[in-house]
Amino acid sequence: TVAQQRRDLQGALRVLEEGLKILPDNPDLLTQRGSLRLATQDVTRARADFDLALKKDPSNSRSYGDFST
């Protein structure tokens, strides 16, 4: 998102939260939110987002890769 590019992590999280209200099962949005949470040291919630993204789409290898960083 534009907010991510500007390093406005809280703004980017807000945008993803709005997206997830519309598409709550979207593994790409869940993975992006997990990545942002990881960037803000919210490891527990990041892991929950990655786990949920993988449940929704087990082939979503990005969720594995993002959490391994």
Side-chain angles (χ1 to χ4, degrees):
T1 68
V2 172
Q4 284 174 287
Q5 292 171 350
R6 293 183 181 160
R7 301 297 299 160
D8 178 7
L9 300 181
Q10 294 306 316
L13 279 170
R14 285 191 295 276
V15 169
L16 289 169
E17 292 290 342
E18 290 300 314
L20 284 163
K21 286 180 185 176
I22 298 166
L23 301 168
D25 295 329
N26 185 291
D28 293 325
L29 293 177
L30 290 164
T31 299
Q32 286 183 8
R33 185 174 68 180
S35 296
L36 285 173
R37 285 180 166 169
L38 197 57
T40 61
Q41 307 303 311
D42 190 353
V43 176
T44 301
R45 290 171 64 180
R47 182 178 201 71
D49 282 340
F50 294 137
D51 287 346
L52 185 55
L54 288 169
K55 285 180 186 173
K56 302 296 178 185
D57 180 8
S59 68
N60 187 348
S61 62
R62 185 168 170 233
S63 293
Y64 292 109
D66 284 351
F67 198 71
S68 67
T69 57

